[in-house]
Amino acid sequence: MQGSNKLVLAHFWAAFAALSLAIPLGAWQMLVRSPLHRWVDPERYYIAVTAHGSTLAYIFPTLIAMGFGYAVCAVSLGRPMHGMRLAWASLGLVVAGAVMALATVAAGKATVLYTFYPPLLGSAWYYLGILTAVTGSWIWVALMVSHFRRWKRDHPGLPVPLAMFATTAAALLWAWTSLGVGSEILFLILP
């Protein structure tokens, strides 16, 4: 994959590490809601739901999309990736944001069910963690667009390989969607 093997694998390892935390929480939630289990403290239940939902809604799919995007970029364009330091920095931001958000949830400061709908408001640290992770993904979007544009510049008149076209389109859709998440977070944490 043109020197991006470690980057791609790091994204997948981080994604599946996050998933390995979310799966037991989901199983525990099913047990708690089944007739096999008796009463549980609602606060603990909502902590588990928030951690599970935040991981599966924001962290896991973002890391998978980023890792897959880097792999597609390297393979379909057939040349080494540029901006590797930025790519690693974006991974660092996503992981740091995930840790910040999930640590806040584990501390019981954000039992908001991974949504941002009032009246459920959590600590600003939870929202800043999610925003940090989303910001890290925006670097990935910029890198996908940059690779796309460079390939078009170097190959005038040729169509961009379909896999890279689709990956860049998906990255731009993610950027558009996540701008809404980012702006909603800013409205929640700003006084």
Side-chain angles (χ1 to χ4, degrees):
M1 283 189 279
Q2 305 285 340
S4 61
N5 293 356
K6 290 180 181 178
L7 178 67
V8 171
L9 288 175
H11 280 78
F12 289 149
W13 278 111
F16 285 106
L19 182 64
S20 71
L21 296 173
I23 288 173
L25 292 173
W28 181 77
Q29 291 167 47
M30 288 189 309
L31 175 66
V32 166
R33 296 188 54 89
S34 77
L36 301 174
H37 196 274
R38 299 177 75 177
W39 185 84
V40 67
D41 177 26
E43 186 71 20
R44 289 179 63 206
Y45 178 76
Y46 287 115
I47 286 172
V49 170
T50 303
H52 176 80
S54 297
T55 301
L56 293 182
Y58 304 117
I59 306 308
F60 178 74
T62 299
L63 288 167
I64 290 292
M66 289 171 68
F68 185 73
Y70 289 133
V72 165
C73 181
V75 171
S76 70
L77 299 183
R79 59 194 204 177
M81 288 180 47
H82 67 273
M84 290 297 283
R85 285 186 181 167
L86 280 173
W88 282 104
S90 72
L91 173 62
L93 282 172
V94 173
V95 170
V99 168
M100 185 187 318
L102 294 176
T104 306
V105 171
K109 304 286 185 197
T111 54
V112 294
L113 308 176
Y114 84 89
T115 65
F116 305 140
Y117 304 125
L120 296 176
L121 292 175
S123 166
W125 291 106
Y126 171 75
Y127 299 111
L128 287 172
I130 296 296
L131 186 60
T132 301
V134 168
T135 302
S137 73
W138 292 340
I139 296 170
W140 166 73
V141 171
L143 285 170
M144 292 299 99
V145 170
S146 174
H147 280 90
F148 183 98
R149 292 184 70 204
R150 283 184 181 204
W151 196 91
K152 279 299 280 180
R153 183 192 65 212
D154 295 345
H155 301 86
L158 291 177
V160 174
L162 182 59
M164 186 62 192
F165 180 85
T167 299
T168 306
L172 290 169
L173 285 171
W174 166 248
W176 179 256
T177 304
S178 62
L179 280 174
V181 172
S183 62
E184 190 173 1
I185 289 172
L186 290 176
F187 282 115
L188 287 173
I189 61 175
L190 294 177

